[in-house]
Amino acid sequence: MFDFVHENKKWVQIVLALIILPFAFWGIDSYRSSGGGEPLASVNGEKIGPQEFDNALRQQQNRMREAMGDKFDQALFDQPETRHSILENLVNQRLLAMRAHSAGLVVSEEQLVQVIAGIEAFQNNGKFDKQSYASALNSQNMTPVIFEARMRQELGTRQLINAYTMNGYASGAVADNLIRLNEQQRTISTSEIALEPFLKQVSADDAAVKSYYGKNPEEFRMPEQVRVEYVTFSAESLQPQMAVDEDEIRRYYEERQQEFGTQEQRQAAHILISVAAQASVADRQAARAKAEQLLQQAKQSPAKFAELARQHSQDPGSAPNGGDLGMFARGLMVKPFDDAAFQLKPGEISDLVQSDFGFHIIKLIAVQPAKILPLDEARETIAQKLKLQKASDKFAELAEKFSNTAYEQSDTLKPAAELVKMPVQQSAWLNRGQAGTPPWTDKALQAVFAKEVLQDKRNSAAIEIAPDTLLAARVLEHKPAAVRPLAEVGESIRRKLLRQQARELALKQGADLLARLQRGETPNITWKTATAITREQQAGMDGELVRQVFQADVAKLPAYAGAENAQGGYVLARVETVKETAAIDDSKRAAYMQQMRRFTGDELFRAYLADARKHADISMKDFAADDKK
Amino acid sequence: MMAALDLEEQEQVETLKAWWKENGKWLLLALALILGGYAAIQGWRSYQSNQALAASTLFHELTRQIESGDPRRINDAADAVTANYGGSAYAPRALLLAAQVNIQTGDPARARTQLQWVIKHADEEGLKNVARLNLAGVLLDEKNFAGAQELIEAPHPESFDGLYADLKGDVLSAQGKKEEARAAYRKALEKTDVKNTYHSLIRMKLEALGDKK
């Protein structure tokens, strides 16, 4: 609706805006306990300690990392502006909490419970779950007592803030004005005065180039650079070196049959006459007699096995199913049972089998043979697995030796490279503080720009740049931070100066033409075909030109406007027609008013906060001053 | 024990007894008063906090009614807060929310009464300003320019200057006083932070008046 977003916002500004995101529920996870150390700020006598600040900083980093992904830049958080705004946010939170308290804003137990129960992280299947609550808090290193106290304070603060942000206002008359303004259509023709033709009319001599070079050293500053040789090795890179022989593959295959398919399974039924472990000899005899009688019956008429089981089996789990135990693999049943079941043929009935449970009569119902990938087809996968495992073991074994070798023989990388059988590679130029493609992570750069590496020309420590990946480096060449020589940059300075002058000429001609047009003269200008634009639909026109077009006085048509364009030239515009918007419908007006209420509501809160700060006794650490030291 | 005391000590004990006879009851009375006072303060505090809790609960109920969007229920809830806990921080908050709903559902008269109550009775200076600016907005749309103007001239903290100037611009521009409206908007631009969308909103209004700069 409103096109309010400034396009030229720098990253830093966006970041600052994110940081000031007002008080998200999870935003106040800064511990109250000030820990040790000198306080960074104080609000009406209450202190904000380094621990609270560090917690807030870390949380902000996590949030940014989630929001920005790859674009996340850790260095941002070392900047004094960022640190200042984080501290300021903490100060504001503390101040608002105090204000809420003294105004008498309180949160009842029920409200607290309701809010906490409504937080998704604490729910399981859409319902509050105590277990989830406890573990979610635990993962944040927090106890329910601290969390609930914090939440209570946060909710109180929210009541304070909402009285401002939720009570913005808007006037219908103003909304109508804005709609008319946004939707008024102006048809314009344009004519561009490009910069390039003026290049022929200008010149820049060596003296001018030199003077520019002298006055703008910042532009030509080069960061400190270094080129290194390095050895990197990882579990993965060791893999090709690993040999696996046929025996190992065969052993693996035999020991882990279940990985390559399903084992043989058998389906059996049984009749159990149970005997308690502590049964007397007489009882045992009686049971055996009964079992033998049943065995005889079963052998006589095997078809009645199921019926016999149903009537006489003392295994309550299987008796109702005619003794059927379903499919089972080798080793799942008690040993005597297992042995017997895997010796029978389908349909065959066993003799009495004695186990800890008592006497079994077993009938094998079916056999499902094993389905196993043949060794030949499994060989490649097994070899790969074994290699990976060996490489990982090898890596663990070599990692320490590698570190020690790089450290002890610190004037060459060769022994370390030979140890892990990896080549010594050479890097391109690396800039200090500018992480690049792997392996040149921040951590790696820190290692190669360390003093002992740079000045003492020693090997860097072996550092882990990724899981199971080590790198050691030594410097080949080093360039300190410097200003590029004039000879190298002279030509680009000359081009820049020429363009600057040409641009001035183009702009001057544009302004002259505009003035003549506005006086009613008719200079010779080729206009492009007309386009209709509104403030919202700019048809790809430059933002500044559109602004000028809509500020042009259209009491008399055609009217004229002009503006510099992004290419350094000038664009003239001739306003030919003006069309007001048709009737304004209610829903559009309501939408505009809704937006305006939001804006005034936010501003009400800002005004309140500014006033509260003015009346509070606040002191804050100056990060910028710290930086200059 | 007494026998163990020497004469001098016995004399001191006697003096003490005489003094106690004379002043003891006053001392006890003073002690009773102090204890009583302390109990009263504690009692008052606990009464206060109970009142605040009750008001908070009622207010919470109101915020839930807001979601229903039913003005009758919302106004009833707001009235319940002010009738029972008129001195609490929740009374002005309840009325501001209710007034919001009344403005948007076409009952500006009721909204006016509610906002006036806040201007008159709220303890928090900030909320009075919220009510004043809201009320001025209502009067502006009712074309009661004089009434709106009067509210806008009210003294207010400096940090609210931008809001007041902006609304002043609205009131003046609605009366067709373009030149004065421009001056008000320009002041509002000056008093608001260029980073905020609110600033851009004011700029648009200024441009709508055909400002050249």
Side-chain angles (χ1 to χ4, degrees):
Chain A
M1 166 171 327
F2 296 116
D3 183 25
F4 280 154
V5 185
H6 301 292
E7 284 158 34
N8 55 350
K9 262 188 184 167
K10 281 190 239 134
W11 270 117
V12 178
Q13 277 176 311
I14 295 174
V15 168
L16 293 188
L18 271 174
I19 288 167
I20 303 164
L21 268 183
F23 312 101
F25 267 112
W26 291 97
I28 56 156
D29 283 350
S30 43
Y31 290 124
R32 257 312 172 74
S33 65
S34 52
E38 205 173 313
L40 298 176
S42 100
V43 185
N44 293 336
E46 277 193 22
K47 309 258 182 284
I48 293 171
Q51 198 185 338
E52 187 173 349
F53 178 79
D54 287 346
N55 279 320
L57 185 79
R58 203 168 324 119
Q59 271 186 353
Q60 193 56 44
Q61 285 173 343
N62 292 342
R63 225 172 305 156
M64 294 276 301
R65 198 172 288 126
E66 268 169 39
M68 296 173 66
D70 294 345
K71 295 207 183 87
F72 177 76
D73 181 9
Q74 179 73 34
L76 203 64
F77 285 89
D78 295 332
Q79 289 181 5
E81 294 92 339
T82 314
R83 295 180 156 254
H84 178 81
S85 75
I86 287 174
L87 185 59
E88 187 136 286
N89 202 13
L90 283 176
V91 165
N92 288 344
Q93 282 174 23
R94 185 64 65 84
L95 177 61
L96 289 168
M98 289 167 143
R99 282 278 189 136
H101 180 77
S102 67
L105 295 171
V106 288
V107 177
S108 72
E109 201 66 34
E110 294 84 5
Q111 288 169 42
L112 187 67
V113 166
Q114 218 177 64
V115 170
I116 290 179
I119 293 174
E120 215 170 296
F122 305 149
Q123 290 178 345
N124 191 2
N125 289 328
K127 269 191 168 164
F128 178 74
D129 177 51
K130 244 184 159 163
Q131 198 74 41
S132 311
Y133 180 51
S135 65
L137 291 189
N138 208 20
S139 74
Q140 303 261 330
N141 266 333
M142 221 184 305
T143 65
V145 177
I146 298 178
F147 178 71
E148 280 157 30
R150 189 102 40 81
M151 206 65 190
R152 199 183 279 270
Q153 188 193 329
E154 165 71 13
L155 290 173
T157 306
R158 229 176 230 288
Q159 292 179 352
L160 183 81
I161 297 172
N162 283 352
Y164 297 90
T165 55
M166 309 280 254
N167 284 311
Y169 48 88
S171 149
V174 176
D176 286 359
N177 277 343
L178 288 177
I179 295 173
R180 275 189 219 109
L181 179 69
N182 265 344
E183 301 197 345
Q184 188 194 65
Q185 207 180 59
R186 295 189 172 188
T187 312
I188 58 168
S189 306
T190 57
S191 175
E192 191 188 344
I193 298 155
L195 163 157
E196 282 73 15
F198 293 95
L199 283 171
K200 282 178 233 135
Q201 303 175 23
V202 295
S203 64
D205 58 16
D206 289 346
V209 169
K210 202 172 171 194
S211 140
Y212 183 91
Y213 178 77
K215 280 181 194 151
N216 299 284
E218 282 307 313
E219 260 179 59
F220 310 109
R221 209 175 282 292
M222 293 280 294
E224 184 179 1
Q225 287 187 316
V226 75
R227 220 164 60 78
V228 300
E229 56 178 2
Y230 65 99
V231 180
T232 173
F233 88 109
S234 63
E236 206 186 327
S237 69
L238 289 172
Q239 225 171 298
Q241 300 174 15
M242 297 298 120
V244 176
D245 65 32
E246 184 62 23
D247 273 359
E248 288 172 292
I249 294 177
R250 194 175 295 277
R251 204 177 317 129
Y252 186 98
Y253 180 74
E254 278 160 11
E255 281 169 9
R256 294 189 178 71
Q257 293 266 301
Q258 72 279 5
E259 277 181 34
F260 304 100
T262 49
Q263 283 176 275
E264 179 185 319
Q265 295 211 320
R266 295 192 159 207
Q267 184 185 7
H270 77 147
I271 300 167
L272 173 69
I273 301 303
S274 65
V275 178
Q278 66 275 33
S280 65
V281 180
D283 284 351
R284 203 173 288 273
Q285 286 298 340
R288 178 185 282 276
K290 183 164 185 207
E292 289 202 333
Q293 191 202 338
L294 283 168
L295 175 64
Q296 240 172 7
Q297 288 180 34
K299 289 225 164 166
Q300 266 164 21
S301 40
K304 285 197 177 150
F305 189 90
E307 201 178 309
L308 283 171
R310 223 168 275 134
Q311 280 173 18
H312 301 288
S313 176
Q314 292 169 357
D315 172 12
S318 69
N321 304 328
D324 194 348
L325 292 163
M327 287 284 183
F328 51 91
R330 180 99 215 214
L332 278 173
M333 299 292 178
V334 281
K335 182 133 188 1
F337 189 102
D338 205 45
D339 288 345
F342 278 83
Q343 274 165 14
L344 295 170
K345 294 193 191 81
E348 199 182 350
I349 292 172
S350 71
D351 288 331
L352 278 196
V353 175
Q354 189 171 359
S355 79
D356 292 346
F357 296 99
F359 299 100
H360 306 262
I361 303 159
I362 304 168
K363 180 183 176 187
L364 188 67
I365 300 172
V367 175
Q368 196 183 67
K371 271 184 274 179
I372 293 185
L373 200 65
L375 176 58
D376 277 345
E377 284 173 43
R379 181 171 282 111
E380 197 46 41
T381 324
I382 296 175
Q384 206 55 35
K385 267 190 179 169
L386 287 171
K387 272 187 178 178
L388 188 68
Q389 198 184 340
K390 282 188 171 185
S392 176
D393 292 348
K394 187 78 181 169
F395 178 83
E397 180 197 321
L398 282 180
E400 204 182 326
K401 278 191 201 157
F402 179 76
S403 301
N404 289 343
T405 311
Y407 179 74
E408 282 158 12
Q409 285 166 282
S410 65
D411 54 350
T412 167
L413 282 172
K414 253 201 186 132
E418 276 161 10
L419 176 78
V420 297
K421 299 196 183 71
M422 296 300 286
V424 176
Q425 293 169 274
Q426 298 202 342
S427 77
W429 284 103
L430 306 168
N431 293 347
R432 184 190 271 271
Q434 288 174 20
T437 48
W440 303 113
T441 59
D442 277 326
K443 210 171 155 189
L445 286 184
Q446 259 169 31
V448 299
F449 278 99
K451 185 173 156 286
E452 20 346 326
V453 180
L454 227 45
Q455 289 177 11
D456 310 345
K457 307 274 181 223
R458 295 154 70 112
N459 289 344
S460 75
I463 49 163
E464 193 170 17
I465 49 167
D468 279 359
T469 310
L470 286 177
L471 172 134
R474 58 181 291 107
V475 167
L476 290 170
E477 288 179 84
H478 174 228
K479 285 190 204 162
V483 176
R484 292 169 71 187
L486 178 59
E488 210 174 279
V489 293
E491 207 34 54
S492 76
I493 293 178
R494 191 186 309 279
R495 272 200 302 276
K496 186 171 182 173
L497 290 178
L498 290 175
R499 280 188 75 83
Q500 251 173 25
Q501 293 174 47
R503 172 173 161 270
E504 271 159 34
L505 290 178
L507 295 188
K508 184 168 178 308
Q509 189 177 79
D512 286 350
L513 282 171
L514 179 62
R516 287 176 63 194
L517 287 165
Q518 283 172 337
R519 278 201 301 273
E521 294 174 30
T522 48
N524 186 17
I525 292 171
T526 328
W527 296 101
K528 278 193 208 153
T529 30
T531 331
I533 58 168
T534 69
R535 271 172 210 265
E536 292 177 315
Q537 279 148 16
Q538 312 190 338
M541 305 267 173
D542 246 37
E544 184 51 30
L545 179 69
V546 172
R547 267 175 62 101
Q548 293 299 331
V549 163
F550 278 94
Q551 282 180 36
D553 184 359
V554 289
K556 212 179 87 202
L557 289 176
Y560 297 93
E564 185 183 343
N565 70 9
Q567 292 77 43
Y570 194 88
V571 186
L572 287 165
R574 183 173 66 183
V575 184
E576 276 148 21
T577 61
V578 173
K579 199 172 118 199
E580 296 298 338
T581 182
I584 296 165
D585 70 85
D586 287 348
S587 72
K588 179 169 278 175
R589 180 184 298 125
Y592 264 67
M593 289 177 76
Q594 192 58 39
Q595 284 261 32
M596 289 158 69
R597 265 184 225 113
R598 246 206 0 251
F599 297 154
T600 44
D602 289 348
E603 181 68 17
L604 280 169
F605 173 63
R606 277 192 292 272
Y608 168 75
L609 181 60
D611 192 51
R613 287 188 61 130
K614 198 172 145 191
H615 289 102
D617 183 12
I618 294 172
S619 67
M620 279 172 68
K621 179 185 166 79
D622 184 356
F623 291 106
D626 226 39
D627 227 35
K628 279 178 200 132
K629 265 181 223 163
Chain B
M1 274 304 270
M2 282 301 248
L5 300 173
D6 66 19
L7 225 70
E8 202 181 330
E9 281 175 330
Q10 273 195 28
E11 221 167 84
Q12 278 179 359
V13 169
E14 285 308 314
T15 342
L16 203 65
K17 275 183 177 167
W19 183 87
W20 180 249
K21 222 172 177 183
E22 185 90 338
N23 301 308
K25 59 181 169 194
W26 298 112
L27 198 67
L28 283 176
L29 190 67
L31 206 65
L33 278 176
I34 289 167
L35 284 175
Y38 179 74
I41 287 169
Q42 285 302 337
W44 173 244
R45 281 206 184 130
S46 113
Y47 169 77
Q48 283 276 10
S49 103
N50 283 339
Q51 288 289 95
L53 263 182
S56 170
T57 307
L58 261 186
F59 178 74
H60 185 62
E61 203 45 51
L62 165 68
T63 57
R64 285 172 35 165
Q65 294 297 342
I66 294 278
E67 280 154 35
S68 79
D70 178 352
R72 196 179 54 79
R73 286 158 73 178
I74 292 163
N75 281 313
D76 285 352
D79 288 346
V81 179
T82 21
N84 297 303
Y85 309 100
S88 76
Y90 291 99
R93 284 178 168 74
L95 288 178
L96 282 171
L97 283 183
Q100 239 342 290
V101 173
N102 290 326
I103 292 169
Q104 287 172 51
T105 53
D107 189 357
R110 184 155 196 173
R112 276 201 317 261
T113 321
Q114 289 164 326
L115 293 170
Q116 261 144 4
W117 190 97
V118 178
I119 295 171
K120 206 166 164 201
H121 298 288
D123 282 337
E124 293 164 74
E125 194 55 40
L127 296 185
K128 288 188 184 200
N129 284 295
V130 173
R132 222 179 271 131
L133 290 163
N134 265 280
L135 183 55
V138 175
L139 297 182
L140 166 62
D141 273 348
E142 290 182 332
K143 303 213 184 317
N144 179 352
F145 300 127
Q149 189 74 34
E150 193 186 328
L151 286 166
I152 289 164
E153 302 298 339
H156 53 261
E158 196 193 336
S159 59
F160 286 79
D161 279 355
L163 285 158
Y164 276 85
D166 171 37
L167 197 49
K168 187 172 176 181
D170 293 344
V171 173
L172 290 166
S173 124
Q175 293 170 267
K177 299 179 180 169
K178 281 194 176 186
E179 201 41 59
E180 290 163 272
R182 270 187 213 124
Y185 285 141
R186 273 193 213 105
K187 180 179 175 197
L189 277 181
E190 217 172 275
K191 295 285 184 179
T192 48
D193 191 335
V194 72
K195 282 204 298 286
N196 297 323
T197 41
Y198 181 60
H199 184 88
S200 321
L201 178 70
I202 300 168
R203 183 193 296 286
M204 277 178 74
K205 292 197 262 188
L206 183 55
E207 285 176 7
L209 288 177
D211 186 74
K212 288 288 178 198
K213 187 62 216 152

